[in-house]
Amino acid sequence: MRRLFRSVQGWPFYRKLAFLSLGFFVLIFGAFFHYSTSPSFCRSCHIMEPYYQAWKTSKHNFVSCVDCHNLPGMAGKLRGKWEAMTQFAKFLTDQYGSKPFAEIDDASCLQSACHNTRLLQGKETFKKGILFDHVPHLTETRRGIKLRCTSCHSQIVIGTHIEVTEGTCFLCHFKGRAGERGEAPLGGCPSCHLPPEKEIQVGGVKVNHRQFIGQKGVPCGRCHMDTTAGEGNVTQDRCFNCHNQPEKLERFSDYQTLHLNHITRRKVECERCHEEIRHSAVTSMTAAPEHNCSSCHQGMHSAPGELYQGRGARGVEEMSDPMFKADVDCVGCHVVPKRGVAQEAPAGQTFTASRLSCVSCHGTKYDGYLATFTPQMDRMLSYLERRLRRVEAQLAKAPRTGTGTREGFRLARDARHNWNLVFWGRGVHNPHYALAALRTARDYLEPAERALGLAPPPGELPAGFSRESCALVCHAGLPMPEEAATPGGTLPHRRHARSVQCSSCHQVSPHEKQPARVNADCDGCHHGRSIQQASSCEACHRDQAIFYHGTLKELPEGVQPSANIMESTVDCLGCHDPSQPGKTSQKVSARCVACHEESYAALLQDWMAPSSEARILLVRAQRLEARHGRRPSQEGARALALLSEACHLASIVVAARSAHNAELAEVLVKKAGERLQQAEALLGRP
């Protein structure tokens, strides 16, 4: 030391000054380095004041900030200093946030002289008798997630420092565990709460928890209902608080990746993303309990719901009921109170469906639908039940090793499944699907009966099993129309229904998915036969026949209908040949040339022209009528009357085809045009 002092004495002045400056700098730097590791230095930044006060009153107030916030070892300290410098730079440049984010690694908590023996201490008691064991939480995965110390110990609540956040416990143990009959927490209630040793008095009644829970095994939820509030859900809008990268936001539903990055790799509090779940035990009632019906009556409407949606039956394609597609809810039909006003207060109320439900929406024509369909469905169910019991009884006696027996079991099981769906789901919730399910069940039973050597049961087969049962099962309760409009004209519907099967005219095979359509061509039934008399044509084509004969009624004043000039000598078969394929105008044109000269082929086109004019007038009149339908003035009312008359005259020509009476068609088209012009003048249109 003396040698050093003597050598320094011989140095020039500038060297001495440099040496002293270096020593002073080292001394100041060392002092500042030591001071920068103290909590008081952290407090020098005003945004850290709440955290400093929380630390000062916490159980860790004897531990320096850097002991936890920096990783153990020199490398951890240097990295901590670098991060501190970046925070200092942000402070100087006014780029800092008022709520800083800090991570504490498990290595800091479990380092020597801290909590390194925590995993060996086993279970401990937390707060009011809550049991907790660090070992499974830190060494095993919870819900497939690797937890960290700070997963539970955090500072969500300002004023507490690295304290256990109970909301994290509730979120993990209760999310998705609530059922209709109470909560079923992860690990069960006894994993956290031991039953009280002493008797507890509740509402004047003494309760011995050990007797109920320990001896009788009564679940806690029998008494403690509604112990949680909140679902703990995650909404995507919370992601925008931290992220704006589309590639990250697209992974919102990736459960494993989100928890790996936010929980295992980073210290992000669960409540930053999840909504809160609160938990407390209700020990007294202030009012009668009010629960959803499904708390006790579980799955009571699952079969009607599946049937209404058109799914669940085996061997049947899904087909929703039309009212389901129209968004008609249960309350759309269940509108009739089951109990009167006097019984409603003590017994509650149930709303049922009845004929009034049908009539209120569809009118009186549906008044008899339920009364017709329900008995038919009951007969089908009763018939199938008898056959099912026979097959099931025979299968119970048969050995289960044979191939035929195994197949019989499968077929009987599928048939019973469909029967149960329709029986408990009430077939009226989806008539088409219910009929298809029962018909398929019958198809399953027939091979099963053959395999077991059972003869078909005696008795008449219910009408619903026939695919030609439209008029007996569904439409028997609906009014039968006298006539029906078809592409070829007016059809005498009632006459056909008495002698012709529905599928002869209607495409009923896709009827479950769309209304039954009338076949566009009647040739298969009518024109394919050898027609001897024109009267058979006029039975269907009455509009054309009346126009041809000039027997029209309800014509405007001054219009005298007259028959076609050929009416006395030529009937329908004189111009039409139903047995020949091809376009009607072409076939008739060929007939004209066969009797007359070539020029009559062009004349036919002239006779057809009024039909085209009538269509144009009809469209114009209908548009004006729709546009001015609510005109209140007298001129408007007169104009609407004229438009209605114009539509009527034009419709006659369009429906009857002007070629059947060209002279009369020209008169009617002319009158329709005059009425349209008069209406346009009254409405102020050119």
Side-chain angles (χ1 to χ4, degrees), residues 307-334:
L307 199 66
Y308 192 44
Q309 296 174 68
R311 63 188 187 188
R314 294 178 182 174
V316 182
E317 184 182 355
E318 292 186 0
M319 59 180 88
S320 302
D321 188 84
M323 291 196 293
F324 176 79
K325 296 178 181 178
D327 293 332
V328 179
D329 204 346
C330 306
V331 298
C333 297
H334 291 259

mmCIF file of all heavy atoms in Angstrom, residues 307-334:
data_model
loop_
_atom_site.group_PDB
_atom_site.id
_atom_site.type_symbol
_atom_site.label_atom_id
_atom_site.label_comp_id
_atom_site.label_asym_id
_atom_site.label_seq_id
_atom_site.Cartn_x
_atom_site.Cartn_y
_atom_site.Cartn_z
ATOM 1 N N LEU A 307 -87.597 -34.523 -32.927
ATOM 2 C CA LEU A 307 -88.600 -34.810 -33.952
ATOM 3 C C LEU A 307 -88.951 -33.535 -34.713
ATOM 4 O O LEU A 307 -89.081 -33.547 -35.945
ATOM 5 C CB LEU A 307 -89.843 -35.407 -33.296
ATOM 6 C CG LEU A 307 -90.794 -36.174 -34.211
ATOM 7 C CD1 LEU A 307 -90.109 -37.420 -34.740
ATOM 8 C CD2 LEU A 307 -92.063 -36.568 -33.467
ATOM 9 N N TYR A 308 -89.099 -32.439 -34.006
ATOM 10 C CA TYR A 308 -89.444 -31.160 -34.640
ATOM 11 C C TYR A 308 -88.345 -30.711 -35.600
ATOM 12 O O TYR A 308 -88.619 -30.175 -36.678
ATOM 13 C CB TYR A 308 -89.661 -30.117 -33.549
ATOM 14 C CG TYR A 308 -90.304 -28.823 -34.009
ATOM 15 C CD1 TYR A 308 -91.388 -28.821 -34.878
ATOM 16 C CD2 TYR A 308 -89.832 -27.599 -33.557
ATOM 17 C CE1 TYR A 308 -91.975 -27.636 -35.289
ATOM 18 C CE2 TYR A 308 -90.414 -26.411 -33.953
ATOM 19 C CZ TYR A 308 -91.484 -26.437 -34.824
ATOM 20 O OH TYR A 308 -92.058 -25.264 -35.227
ATOM 21 N N GLN A 309 -87.085 -30.968 -35.207
ATOM 22 C CA GLN A 309 -85.966 -30.621 -36.076
ATOM 23 C C GLN A 309 -85.749 -31.642 -37.180
ATOM 24 O O GLN A 309 -84.958 -31.396 -38.098
ATOM 25 C CB GLN A 309 -84.684 -30.495 -35.253
ATOM 26 C CG GLN A 309 -84.733 -29.366 -34.228
ATOM 27 C CD GLN A 309 -83.515 -29.362 -33.339
ATOM 28 O OE1 GLN A 309 -82.401 -29.080 -33.778
ATOM 29 N NE2 GLN A 309 -83.701 -29.688 -32.079
ATOM 30 N N GLY A 310 -86.441 -32.785 -37.074
ATOM 31 C CA GLY A 310 -86.341 -33.800 -38.121
ATOM 32 C C GLY A 310 -85.048 -34.561 -38.110
ATOM 33 O O GLY A 310 -84.415 -34.752 -39.150
ATOM 34 N N ARG A 311 -84.617 -35.010 -36.939
ATOM 35 C CA ARG A 311 -83.388 -35.787 -36.852
ATOM 36 C C ARG A 311 -83.511 -36.789 -35.709
ATOM 37 O O ARG A 311 -84.400 -36.677 -34.862
ATOM 38 C CB ARG A 311 -82.183 -34.879 -36.617
ATOM 39 C CG ARG A 311 -82.222 -34.119 -35.295
ATOM 40 C CD ARG A 311 -81.108 -33.111 -35.211
ATOM 41 N NE ARG A 311 -81.022 -32.495 -33.885
ATOM 42 C CZ ARG A 311 -80.240 -31.478 -33.582
ATOM 43 N NH1 ARG A 311 -79.472 -30.949 -34.524
ATOM 44 N NH2 ARG A 311 -80.207 -30.977 -32.362
ATOM 45 N N GLY A 312 -82.616 -37.768 -35.696
ATOM 46 C CA GLY A 312 -82.605 -38.741 -34.599
ATOM 47 C C GLY A 312 -83.105 -40.112 -34.982
ATOM 48 O O GLY A 312 -82.726 -41.100 -34.364
ATOM 49 N N ALA A 313 -83.973 -40.218 -35.990
ATOM 50 C CA ALA A 313 -84.488 -41.528 -36.401
ATOM 51 C C ALA A 313 -83.424 -42.272 -37.190
ATOM 52 O O ALA A 313 -82.627 -41.672 -37.908
ATOM 53 C CB ALA A 313 -85.757 -41.372 -37.222
ATOM 54 N N ARG A 314 -83.436 -43.583 -37.069
ATOM 55 C CA ARG A 314 -82.448 -44.409 -37.761
ATOM 56 C C ARG A 314 -83.000 -44.866 -39.104
ATOM 57 O O ARG A 314 -84.133 -45.326 -39.195
ATOM 58 C CB ARG A 314 -82.072 -45.604 -36.893
ATOM 59 C CG ARG A 314 -81.344 -45.194 -35.620
ATOM 60 C CD ARG A 314 -81.004 -46.348 -34.725
ATOM 61 N NE ARG A 314 -80.350 -45.881 -33.501
ATOM 62 C CZ ARG A 314 -80.036 -46.657 -32.470
ATOM 63 N NH1 ARG A 314 -80.310 -47.953 -32.518
ATOM 64 N NH2 ARG A 314 -79.451 -46.152 -31.401
ATOM 65 N N GLY A 315 -82.147 -44.711 -40.129
ATOM 66 C CA GLY A 315 -82.553 -45.117 -41.461
ATOM 67 C C GLY A 315 -83.449 -44.130 -42.173
ATOM 68 O O GLY A 315 -84.035 -44.458 -43.202
ATOM 69 N N VAL A 316 -83.569 -42.904 -41.635
ATOM 70 C CA VAL A 316 -84.450 -41.890 -42.221
ATOM 71 C C VAL A 316 -83.638 -40.625 -42.466
ATOM 72 O O VAL A 316 -82.905 -40.167 -41.587
ATOM 73 C CB VAL A 316 -85.652 -41.576 -41.296
ATOM 74 C CG1 VAL A 316 -86.573 -40.553 -41.954
ATOM 75 C CG2 VAL A 316 -86.410 -42.840 -40.964
ATOM 76 N N GLU A 317 -83.770 -40.070 -43.651
ATOM 77 C CA GLU A 317 -83.083 -38.826 -43.964
ATOM 78 C C GLU A 317 -83.659 -37.685 -43.141
ATOM 79 O O GLU A 317 -84.862 -37.615 -42.895
ATOM 80 C CB GLU A 317 -83.234 -38.524 -45.457
ATOM 81 C CG GLU A 317 -82.460 -37.297 -45.917
ATOM 82 C CD GLU A 317 -82.676 -36.997 -47.382
ATOM 83 O OE1 GLU A 317 -83.364 -37.817 -48.051
ATOM 84 O OE2 GLU A 317 -82.174 -35.974 -47.870
ATOM 85 N N GLU A 318 -82.794 -36.784 -42.690
ATOM 86 C CA GLU A 318 -83.251 -35.658 -41.880
ATOM 87 C C GLU A 318 -84.210 -34.778 -42.666
ATOM 88 O O GLU A 318 -83.963 -34.473 -43.836
ATOM 89 C CB GLU A 318 -82.062 -34.829 -41.402
ATOM 90 C CG GLU A 318 -81.173 -35.551 -40.404
ATOM 91 C CD GLU A 318 -80.095 -34.652 -39.833
ATOM 92 O OE1 GLU A 318 -80.054 -33.459 -40.238
ATOM 93 O OE2 GLU A 318 -79.309 -35.115 -38.985
ATOM 94 N N MET A 319 -85.300 -34.388 -42.029
ATOM 95 C CA MET A 319 -86.265 -33.474 -42.662
ATOM 96 C C MET A 319 -86.970 -32.674 -41.566
ATOM 97 O O MET A 319 -87.729 -33.200 -40.768
ATOM 98 C CB MET A 319 -87.265 -34.252 -43.521
ATOM 99 C CG MET A 319 -88.085 -35.286 -42.803
ATOM 100 S SD MET A 319 -89.241 -36.175 -43.874
ATOM 101 C CE MET A 319 -88.217 -37.507 -44.455
ATOM 102 N N SER A 320 -86.666 -31.399 -41.493
ATOM 103 C CA SER A 320 -87.268 -30.539 -40.477
ATOM 104 C C SER A 320 -88.729 -30.293 -40.803
ATOM 105 O O SER A 320 -89.133 -30.276 -41.969
ATOM 106 C CB SER A 320 -86.522 -29.204 -40.400
ATOM 107 O OG SER A 320 -85.162 -29.410 -40.105
ATOM 108 N N ASP A 321 -89.514 -30.077 -39.768
ATOM 109 C CA ASP A 321 -90.905 -29.709 -39.976
ATOM 110 C C ASP A 321 -90.964 -28.322 -40.614
ATOM 111 O O ASP A 321 -90.144 -27.450 -40.299
ATOM 112 C CB ASP A 321 -91.646 -29.703 -38.634
ATOM 113 C CG ASP A 321 -93.135 -29.517 -38.811
ATOM 114 O OD1 ASP A 321 -93.832 -30.505 -39.056
ATOM 115 O OD2 ASP A 321 -93.601 -28.362 -38.713
ATOM 116 N N PRO A 322 -91.907 -28.084 -41.517
ATOM 117 C CA PRO A 322 -91.994 -26.759 -42.154
ATOM 118 C C PRO A 322 -92.099 -25.612 -41.159
ATOM 119 O O PRO A 322 -91.561 -24.529 -41.392
ATOM 120 C CB PRO A 322 -93.249 -26.870 -43.027
ATOM 121 C CG PRO A 322 -93.368 -28.325 -43.332
ATOM 122 C CD PRO A 322 -92.874 -29.034 -42.112
ATOM 123 N N MET A 323 -92.786 -25.845 -40.029
ATOM 124 C CA MET A 323 -92.909 -24.765 -39.057
ATOM 125 C C MET A 323 -91.584 -24.503 -38.340
ATOM 126 O O MET A 323 -91.314 -23.385 -37.904
ATOM 127 C CB MET A 323 -94.015 -25.088 -38.050
ATOM 128 C CG MET A 323 -95.400 -25.043 -38.656
ATOM 129 S SD MET A 323 -96.731 -24.961 -37.444
ATOM 130 C CE MET A 323 -96.567 -26.562 -36.677
ATOM 131 N N PHE A 324 -90.741 -25.533 -38.212
ATOM 132 C CA PHE A 324 -89.403 -25.320 -37.648
ATOM 133 C C PHE A 324 -88.583 -24.441 -38.576
ATOM 134 O O PHE A 324 -87.852 -23.547 -38.134
ATOM 135 C CB PHE A 324 -88.719 -26.663 -37.431
ATOM 136 C CG PHE A 324 -87.298 -26.545 -36.950
ATOM 137 C CD1 PHE A 324 -87.016 -26.281 -35.626
ATOM 138 C CD2 PHE A 324 -86.235 -26.690 -37.837
ATOM 139 C CE1 PHE A 324 -85.702 -26.159 -35.185
ATOM 140 C CE2 PHE A 324 -84.925 -26.571 -37.409
ATOM 141 C CZ PHE A 324 -84.659 -26.310 -36.071
ATOM 142 N N LYS A 325 -88.694 -24.689 -39.885
ATOM 143 C CA LYS A 325 -87.977 -23.870 -40.854
ATOM 144 C C LYS A 325 -88.470 -22.427 -40.839
ATOM 145 O O LYS A 325 -87.729 -21.507 -41.164
ATOM 146 C CB LYS A 325 -88.140 -24.457 -42.250
ATOM 147 C CG LYS A 325 -87.526 -25.839 -42.419
ATOM 148 C CD LYS A 325 -87.783 -26.379 -43.813
ATOM 149 C CE LYS A 325 -87.199 -27.772 -43.986
ATOM 150 N NZ LYS A 325 -87.478 -28.341 -45.329
ATOM 151 N N ALA A 326 -89.729 -22.246 -40.449
ATOM 152 C CA ALA A 326 -90.303 -20.897 -40.394
ATOM 153 C C ALA A 326 -90.071 -20.228 -39.038
ATOM 154 O O ALA A 326 -90.651 -19.188 -38.750
ATOM 155 C CB ALA A 326 -91.802 -20.953 -40.688
ATOM 156 N N ASP A 327 -89.206 -20.847 -38.189
ATOM 157 C CA ASP A 327 -88.857 -20.285 -36.876
ATOM 158 C C ASP A 327 -90.049 -20.194 -35.934
ATOM 159 O O ASP A 327 -90.149 -19.262 -35.131
ATOM 160 C CB ASP A 327 -88.212 -18.901 -37.022
ATOM 161 C CG ASP A 327 -86.855 -18.967 -37.682
ATOM 162 O OD1 ASP A 327 -86.196 -20.008 -37.544
ATOM 163 O OD2 ASP A 327 -86.459 -17.990 -38.339
ATOM 164 N N VAL A 328 -90.975 -21.142 -36.017
ATOM 165 C CA VAL A 328 -92.098 -21.185 -35.074
ATOM 166 C C VAL A 328 -91.632 -21.908 -33.816
ATOM 167 O O VAL A 328 -91.270 -23.085 -33.866
ATOM 168 C CB VAL A 328 -93.317 -21.894 -35.692
ATOM 169 C CG1 VAL A 328 -94.459 -21.948 -34.685
ATOM 170 C CG2 VAL A 328 -93.755 -21.169 -36.952
ATOM 171 N N ASP A 329 -91.637 -21.217 -32.696
ATOM 172 C CA ASP A 329 -91.184 -21.794 -31.436
ATOM 173 C C ASP A 329 -92.314 -22.601 -30.792
ATOM 174 O O ASP A 329 -93.451 -22.621 -31.270
ATOM 175 C CB ASP A 329 -90.725 -20.673 -30.505
ATOM 176 C CG ASP A 329 -89.743 -21.159 -29.457
ATOM 177 O OD1 ASP A 329 -89.627 -22.381 -29.287
ATOM 178 O OD2 ASP A 329 -89.090 -20.320 -28.812
ATOM 179 N N CYS A 330 -91.974 -23.257 -29.669
ATOM 180 C CA CYS A 330 -92.963 -24.081 -28.960
ATOM 181 C C CYS A 330 -94.210 -23.279 -28.596
ATOM 182 O O CYS A 330 -95.328 -23.794 -28.659
ATOM 183 C CB CYS A 330 -92.337 -24.681 -27.696
ATOM 184 S SG CYS A 330 -90.817 -25.608 -27.989
ATOM 185 N N VAL A 331 -93.993 -22.028 -28.193
ATOM 186 C CA VAL A 331 -95.124 -21.211 -27.760
ATOM 187 C C VAL A 331 -96.043 -20.843 -28.914
ATOM 188 O O VAL A 331 -97.128 -20.306 -28.698
ATOM 189 C CB VAL A 331 -94.631 -19.936 -27.044
ATOM 190 C CG1 VAL A 331 -93.859 -20.289 -25.797
ATOM 191 C CG2 VAL A 331 -93.752 -19.105 -27.974
ATOM 192 N N GLY A 332 -95.600 -21.115 -30.141
ATOM 193 C CA GLY A 332 -96.472 -20.834 -31.283
ATOM 194 C C GLY A 332 -97.687 -21.736 -31.312
ATOM 195 O O GLY A 332 -98.747 -21.348 -31.821
ATOM 196 N N CYS A 333 -97.555 -22.966 -30.795
ATOM 197 C CA CYS A 333 -98.678 -23.913 -30.788
ATOM 198 C C CYS A 333 -99.209 -24.179 -29.382
ATOM 199 O O CYS A 333 -100.401 -24.424 -29.210
ATOM 200 C CB CYS A 333 -98.247 -25.240 -31.415
ATOM 201 S SG CYS A 333 -97.785 -25.115 -33.161
ATOM 202 N N HIS A 334 -98.340 -24.161 -28.382
ATOM 203 C CA HIS A 334 -98.767 -24.430 -27.008
ATOM 204 C C HIS A 334 -99.310 -23.129 -26.402
ATOM 205 O O HIS A 334 -98.600 -22.395 -25.709
ATOM 206 C CB HIS A 334 -97.598 -24.980 -26.188
ATOM 207 C CG HIS A 334 -97.179 -26.356 -26.601
ATOM 208 N ND1 HIS A 334 -97.536 -27.484 -25.907
ATOM 209 C CD2 HIS A 334 -96.468 -26.788 -27.670
ATOM 210 C CE1 HIS A 334 -97.047 -28.558 -26.507
ATOM 211 N NE2 HIS A 334 -96.391 -28.154 -27.590
#
